[in-house]
Amino acid sequence: MPLAKRIIPCLDVDNGRVVKGVQFENIRDAGDPVEVARRYNEQGADEITFLDITASHQERDTTLHTVERMASEVFIPLTVGGGVRTVSDIRNLLNAGADKVSINTAAVFNPEFVGEAADRFGSQCIVVAIDAKRVSGPGEPERWEIFTHGGRKPTGLDAVAWAKKMEDLGAGEILLTSMDQDGVKSGYDLGVTRAISDTLHIPVIASGGVGNLQHLADGVLQGGADAVLAASIFHFGEYSIAEAKAYMAERGIEMRL
Amino acid sequence: MSNNVAVIDYGMGNLHSVAKALEHVGALKVEVTSDQATILAADRVVLPGVGAIRDCVSELRQLELDQTVLSLVNELPLLGICVGMQMLFEHSEENQGVDTLGLFPGQVRYFGDQLQEADGSRLKVPHMGWNQVTQTIDHPIWHRIEQDARFYFVHSYYASPEKSGQTAGRCHYGVDFAAAMIRDNVFATQFHPEKSHTNGLQLLRNFLAWDGRW
């Protein structure tokens, strides 16, 4: 009776609306977050991830309110990320109804924040989001680096070593987004997914680049991911969560059907 | 049956989910409280738990709610969830070892960094996600929930009871462990019913209908 692999639809939320861009640009409106989450819940999503991409701090209250509404209607785990920088950011999100929070940029600038967060709230609710980009050329040994600011700023940090460090500091899970792939629909970067999943003891969520159902299955079968995250293939009705689960189960992956 | 539920608040964070889920399945009133009198005046009580067990137990003791919880045995239907179940055992390996409330004889152990399935495949810790629960007894709390239904788990430590008769549900992740415990009017789950969609909501509905007997 193995643990099921998870499908996690991701809602990128800007100022109270679900949006989805291609490589972080060309934003398209995809609806009210609570409506969208409720639909995914009914279709059998295993979790929901809510990424607040609102630039301004003034909109933070909108986010908390949306999280609150979502948590009152959707009874599956909810991860919230985007601009999480302080212990009080985490407390506010958990109190609003988030089950886990995702820390991204703040971890890069202050790794100890991850340790502090895990000590305070428990590793089970601390997800570290990593944006990785392949930096090795053709023929060179594969290497990926951490990028910030939506993939624009390199940090010089090796992605695999960084992920390991986050685990050691107390992260309970890694949300790995491959920036080259994000939004371009050619599949996850399976190389970095496999490298990190094999190195770590904690679960790894693959993200970035899903264009079809085979990409989801490949994330698990070839990338070794414990969960697969996707946005646009679900938002715009190309596939339902149920179709995705049936497909993955046919490929021999343990799913909650 | 009137259905006022007290969710015990000992300062460890997100109790919103369990309160909202209970309201969703028909609880008349849900009070998230650390007040002993309010807890004892409720029709039923939920002991949630999240985070490190040392902090959970020490907060509970500081508020003198450990004795309140123990005094509920044979009084009110009580549902323990996750660390709320683990705290009802005698001892946990977490945080260099913590003595817990001792309602269920047995230990809470670490899954370990080298957890494997019998076929040698490596398992990640925490055990995070949807796993199957085998109901080992017939109980009103399992009413209308299919055998081997999946529930949402997230934990790095697992309960290993001494008395097999107190296990209400079993799960397997590298090792067999107790997914649900039963004693008198106390039912406790390692998984999170409030996060387990249809099956979890049904379990909470069953808890609201349970008179504490079986």
Side-chain angles (χ1 to χ4, degrees), chain A residues 223-235:
Chain A
D226 301 283
V228 288
L229 180 143
S232 50
I233 62 160
F234 298 130
H235 293 340

Side-chain angles (χ1 to χ4, degrees), chain B residues 110-183:
Chain B
Y110 184 42
F111 274 121
D113 291 329
Q114 308 296 330
L115 191 65
Q116 288 190 343
E117 211 40 272
D119 64 4
S121 57
R122 209 169 61 103
L123 296 172
K124 301 292 184 70
V125 175
H127 174 223
M128 187 185 287
W130 300 79
N131 210 336
Q132 290 180 293
V133 173
T134 304
Q135 300 162 19
T136 51
I137 58 160
D138 189 17
H139 192 279
I141 295 271
W142 294 132
H143 179 63
R144 298 182 69 179
I145 296 172
E146 275 182 36
Q147 183 62 291
D148 300 326
R150 287 189 188 271
F151 289 89
Y152 188 83
F153 290 85
V154 51
H155 59 126
S156 300
Y157 294 79
Y158 67 93
S160 175
E162 255 166 43
K163 296 186 181 174
S164 60
Q166 292 184 330
T167 303
R170 208 162 15 85
C171 185
H172 182 81
Y173 190 65
V175 295
D176 280 323
F177 66 90
M181 296 294 295
I182 178 70
R183 177 189 154 170

Side-chain angles (χ1 to χ4, degrees), chain A residues 162-180:
Chain A
W162 178 252
K164 181 67 191 149
K165 181 173 179 176
M166 293 297 102
E167 171 178 296
D168 293 343
L169 281 169
E173 196 171 30
I174 297 291
L175 168 54
L176 171 65
T177 302
S178 41
M179 304 304 294
D180 335 64

Side-chain angles (χ1 to χ4, degrees), chain A residues 126-144:
Chain A
I126 304 300
V127 181
V128 173
I130 290 180
D131 295 337
K133 205 182 253 191
R134 185 183 295 261
V135 290
S136 51
E140 292 172 11
E142 289 187 305
R143 213 181 87 79
W144 300 268

Side-chain angles (χ1 to χ4, degrees), chain A residues 75 99 197 201 226 254, chain B residues 122 124-125 130 150 195 197:
Chain A
F75 299 103
D99 299 288
S197 186
H201 294 106
D226 301 283
E254 189 75 23
Chain B
R122 209 169 61 103
K124 301 292 184 70
V125 175
W130 300 79
R150 287 189 188 271
K195 287 288 144 190
H197 196 213

Side-chain angles (χ1 to χ4, degrees), chain A residues 20-24 177-185 207-209:
Chain A
K20 183 60 197 176
V22 176
Q23 282 180 321
F24 289 80
T177 302
S178 41
M179 304 304 294
D180 335 64
Q181 309 288 338
D182 194 53
V184 300
K185 301 199 162 203
S207 157

